[in-house]
Amino acid sequence: MKKPLLWVGLTIAGLSLGASGRHSSEAKILDQIREIERRMGENDGPTLSAIDPFLRDRQDAAKGLAALIAGGERHPPTVVYFCADPDALDCPSVYADDTPHLGEILRGVERVPPGGAAGLKIKVSRELRGGRRDVYRAHMGDMHERGNAALVPVPLGRDGRVRADFSTEDGSGLVVLFAGPADGSRRFKFVWWLGPAGGPQ
């Protein structure tokens, strides 16, 4: 018997940071990404293996730009894609945008619990404040059949809060945030894979 859809509350807000040193480190994430991309260009060769380490470093750096808060715990994105087209849902870079196939390529990855009655909260770094933000939800099965066309937009209120039904009883729910800095210089696609508590399956 199918369980009822889970209603989850999301809040889009700026990161609440403590020490000034942390402010400083977060303010440099985009600079870190630009430096990684510069070195990646210098080391580009006939095979992708030459730049794979830079792609991993860029991915790790970008994960510091957004977080999903569930049950009081902070979760970095499962994966981040870099968008060339600010209006596109598909964000291929050196490699393809594999959002529709995460269930196949990320076996054993830890998923984010849906957050219970407290819901979920998305927070972005200072560098992304003031920029355009679009939130979507999806089900892994629909994504596999229809690709990024299966992403369903979640409306944002003036206060930044949204409500959407994330069907996560089978561990197949996705939360997707498109966000970038206010100057529109770049856009990121942050993806979180929701699932039951207790770790990967």
Side-chain angles (χ1 to χ4, degrees), residues 37-123:
E37 290 173 339
R38 184 190 67 78
R39 290 188 284 118
M40 184 167 61
E42 292 178 348
N43 289 272
D44 193 9
T47 63
L48 291 177
S49 60
I51 62 172
D52 277 345
F54 298 101
L55 293 174
R56 286 192 293 270
D57 289 345
R58 185 175 71 160
Q59 174 88 193
D60 290 342
K63 286 183 177 182
L65 290 170
L68 185 65
I69 311 299
E73 295 188 6
R74 178 184 177 123
H75 300 269
T78 305
V79 65
V80 183
Y81 296 101
F82 298 75
C83 307
D85 184 341
D87 297 311
L89 298 180
D90 185 37
C91 293
S93 183
V94 177
Y95 291 102
D97 178 344
D98 287 319
T99 307
H101 307 289
L102 289 183
E104 303 167 30
I105 63 177
L106 293 180
R107 294 185 181 278
V109 69
E110 183 177 356
R111 304 175 196 179
V112 180
L120 303 175
K121 182 181 291 185
I122 292 178
K123 292 190 175 182

Side-chain angles (χ1 to χ4, degrees), residues 17-28 126:
L17 304 176
S20 59
R22 188 169 178 184
H23 275 289
S24 176
S25 66
E26 292 216 1
K28 297 179 180 178
R126 290 158 50 87

Side-chain angles (χ1 to χ4, degrees), residues 166-184:
F166 289 95
S167 181
T168 59
E169 71 278 355
D170 60 355
S172 297
L174 295 177
V175 176
V176 181
L177 168 69
F178 290 86
D183 62 7

